Amino acid sequence: MSAGVFSALFPATAGALERAFLRTSDGRVLRYGEARAQSARLAHALVACGVRPGDRVAVQVEKSPEAVLLYLATLRAGAVYLPLNTAYTAAELEYFLADAEPALFVCAPEREGGLEPLARRAGVRAVLTLGPAGSGSLIARSASCPDHFETVARQDGDLAAILYTSGTTGRSKGAMLTQSNLVSNARTLAALWEFTAQDVLLHALPIFHIHGLFVAINVTLAAGSSILLLPRFDAGQVLRHLPDASVMMGVPTYYVRLLREPGLARALLAHCRLFISGSAPLLIETHREWTDRTGHTLLERYGMSETGMNTSNPCTGERVPESVGPPLPGVAVRITDAASGAPLPPGEVGMIEVRGPNVFAGYWRRPEREREDFHDGFFITGDLGRLDARGYLFIVGRAKDLVISGGYNVYPKEIEAEIDALAGVLESAVIGVPHPDFGEAVTAVIVPVAAARPADEQVLAALRLRLAAYKLPKRLIFVDELPRNSMGKVQKKLLRERYAGLFRP
């Protein structure tokens, strides 16, 4: 019987409980001992609402210390944490709630009126609220609960979380992450990145994503470090707080925007020891400019919802531009021929496959996917890459047409379905186009019905009602027809090549 994520990672010594766990930009400090007590109260509140070990707890709330404590409380109750992007519309949420069948849905107080009926239709037994300032019915219910909770022991293979992800076809799938997936990855990364109790992590990432949730928070717990929790990324605010931090994690967009700030200087970062970049490709120009400007070399790593982190450039050692580093200790990465599955030698480009304690247990209620997504015990990532002679991994593209914009995954088929349903649209193709800020910009190539072309704003206004803001196309392009191959398949590669310079300065 494993102790589970909370018991395995949360510092337990008397000295550790006195250290700061979360600090906020307005000066609030939450110590580890206080986090243990408050997460106990929340765990009692979850159980009182009928949450049992193995039940899903779906959460769509704004980032706050209380939201982090809710994550810990869910783990302590033995339940399965299901974070949902705060930008998801009601139409998107309805699918996730119906598919995951959570016992409890926690949402923002201002959205309760519109979302509670939807949740009830999806079979959710209870709905509670949590606001960014600690308001809401969940906090009210927990206030009178005991500050001690006997954390539910879990086995290594028990689920700890479900993260919804998707390819370019079909509906979103819930990646099932086990207790041992999260514990092993956190401990490995804390050691590899040389985290200690003296570190302060500047946290400007969202906490509904694997980067800001499991990497940032779990690594901090594993080392007994502190988090400087910012509500969101704002370049000016980040610059003000960087002198108080030793480590920062971010997506490439963050570093691009910080480089635009005239106040970014070496003296400002004298106290920092490490800057980590992930969730999207980092342009070599950004890598070089950051080094020239700050004296720090960005550390790139490679992960995904289904696996946590797979590879990382070293903390001590050479960080190679355009490479995401060698495999983590205990993780195996191989390159195979996409057609035959045969392993390829160093230098050759093929499908990236990974195996290790970090690899997920499969997709929620989709056992048939195992035949498609696993090969001889290796998970087929869908990404294309190559390994050099030293074992450093270089990602050269994606087998599927996933778009990564500002660190968020955007799935073209979902957007195409919404565009194609609009009046005046015959068909569409959504692609990612290189963008200096977002890495890739969502771009929609649309074939209109003859003499009935809708206006750009008409299309975007309709999409805003159905899609999260980060999924909205940055540009609409109207064409007479889409390029197709002899089998009638749209050739998105040609579209990406054709519009590659669309956002160049």
Side-chain angles (χ1 to χ4, degrees):
M1 178 78 70
S2 167
V5 176
F6 181 86
S7 296
L9 298 182
F10 197 90
T13 64
L17 295 178
E18 290 299 314
R19 291 201 299 268
F21 170 42
L22 296 176
R23 307 174 184 180
T24 62
S25 56
D26 60 3
R28 178 182 173 190
V29 177
L30 183 73
R31 302 189 184 281
Y32 273 99
E34 295 167 321
R36 176 182 283 277
Q38 292 186 34
S39 65
R41 295 189 185 99
L42 288 169
H44 279 294
L46 298 183
V47 172
C49 286
V51 174
R52 299 292 179 262
D55 282 348
R56 278 74 59 207
V57 175
V59 178
Q60 189 197 41
V61 299
E62 294 297 331
K63 183 179 179 182
S64 68
E66 288 75 18
V68 175
L69 294 174
L70 174 56
Y71 162 60
L72 298 181
T74 302
L75 295 175
R76 298 191 70 177
V80 180
Y81 192 72
L82 171 55
L84 295 167
N85 193 320
T86 53
Y88 284 149
T89 64
E92 292 166 310
L93 283 174
E94 189 164 17
Y95 166 74
F96 296 121
L97 296 180
D99 189 63
E101 295 184 333
L104 172 67
F105 175 45
V106 183
C107 66
E110 66 271 16
R111 299 195 71 188
E112 182 181 19
L115 295 181
E116 183 171 15
L118 179 152
R120 299 294 186 186
R121 289 197 304 270
V124 180
R125 298 195 299 270
V127 177
L128 294 176
T129 63
L130 176 63
S135 60
S137 57
L138 175 59
I139 298 300
R141 288 196 180 204
S142 69
S144 60
C145 292
D147 63 4
H148 175 77
F149 182 87
E150 193 65 37
T151 301
V152 176
R154 306 300 284 158
Q155 295 182 343
D156 287 347
D158 288 334
L159 295 189
I162 294 176
L163 291 185
Y164 273 88
T165 183
S166 177
T168 54
T169 60
R171 299 304 300 266
S172 296
K173 307 180 296 295
M176 299 187 293
L177 297 169
T178 67
Q179 306 286 328
S180 61
N181 288 156
L182 299 187
V183 170
S184 65
N185 214 218
R187 286 176 169 167
T188 297
L189 293 172
L192 186 71
W193 293 340
E194 302 177 8
F195 267 69
T196 72
Q198 284 67 52
D199 274 310
V200 177
L201 171 67
L202 189 147
H203 192 308
L205 294 158
I207 58 171
F208 50 74
H209 187 278
I210 194 165
H211 191 171
L213 182 61
F214 300 138
V215 178
I217 294 174
N218 289 354
V219 167
T220 297
L221 292 173
S225 308
S226 297
I227 290 176
L228 177 51
L229 196 74
L230 303 186
R232 64 190 60 82
F233 177 82
D234 174 271
Q237 189 178 40
V238 167
L239 280 185
R240 286 194 297 275
H241 289 287
L242 271 175
D244 301 320
S246 61
V247 182
M248 176 179 165
M249 295 181 187
V251 299
T253 300
Y254 291 4
Y255 297 109
V256 169
R257 292 181 179 177
L258 285 171
L259 285 167
R260 294 176 182 166
E261 293 292 315
L264 182 68
R266 294 193 178 205
L268 189 73
L269 311 183
H271 188 253
C272 299
R273 69 171 185 86
L274 184 62
F275 292 90
I276 300 169
S277 179
S279 299
L282 179 71
L283 296 178
I284 191 169
E285 292 82 5
T286 304
H287 192 285
R288 289 171 177 165
E289 187 179 355
W290 186 265
T291 301
D292 293 342
R293 186 92 168 267
T294 69
H296 290 274
T297 301
L298 290 170
L299 184 152
E300 274 197 276
R301 86 298 182 281
Y302 165 58
M304 55 199 313
S305 297
E306 291 91 340
T307 64
M309 297 304 103
N310 299 307
T311 72
S312 173
N313 275 276
C315 187
T316 302
E318 185 180 6
R319 300 176 198 168
V320 178
E322 297 187 295
S323 171
V324 291
L328 300 182
V331 176
V333 174
R334 70 180 184 184
I335 307 298
T336 63
D337 180 82
S340 68
L344 296 174
E348 292 197 28
V349 173
M351 184 69 68
I352 301 172
E353 298 183 0
V354 300
R355 182 181 64 192
N358 56 313
V359 176
F360 74 138
Y363 292 110
W364 174 254
R365 292 179 175 169
R366 287 167 173 78
E368 75 283 355
R369 292 287 312 191
E370 185 169 353
R371 293 188 299 273
E372 303 174 34
D373 297 316
F374 286 86
H375 173 212
D376 296 336
F378 280 77
F379 174 60
I380 304 169
T381 66
D383 292 323
L384 300 175
R386 61 179 175 85
L387 289 166
D388 68 10
R390 297 179 298 170
Y392 278 65
L393 178 64
F394 294 77
I395 299 174
V396 300
R398 290 184 294 278
K400 298 177 181 179
D401 294 319
L402 177 70
V403 179
I404 301 180
S405 183
Y408 295 127
N409 289 355
V410 180
Y411 307 107
K413 187 172 180 63
E414 179 185 19
I415 302 169
E416 289 163 359
E418 298 291 351
I419 295 175
D420 293 349
L422 299 177
V425 173
L426 182 63
E427 62 176 343
S428 64
V430 171
I431 58 174
V433 174
H435 190 283
D437 194 359
F438 294 97
E440 288 183 312
V442 179
T443 302
V445 184
I446 301 172
V447 179
V449 174
R453 169 184 163 169
D456 286 20
E457 187 50 40
Q458 182 182 353
V459 173
L460 293 174
L463 295 181
R464 288 190 190 100
L465 298 176
R466 302 288 299 174
L467 298 171
Y470 70 87
K471 300 178 185 178
L472 296 176
K474 297 286 188 296
R475 187 73 61 86
L476 304 178
I477 300 169
F478 287 87
V479 297
D480 292 331
E481 61 181 7
L482 299 175
R484 299 179 182 275
N485 62 17
S486 58
M487 300 298 292
K489 182 178 176 63
V490 175
Q491 295 182 292
K492 288 191 174 181
K493 182 175 183 293
L494 293 180
L495 291 175
R496 286 192 289 266
E497 292 172 350
R498 183 179 302 171
Y499 300 112
L502 195 61
F503 296 96
R504 284 179 185 158

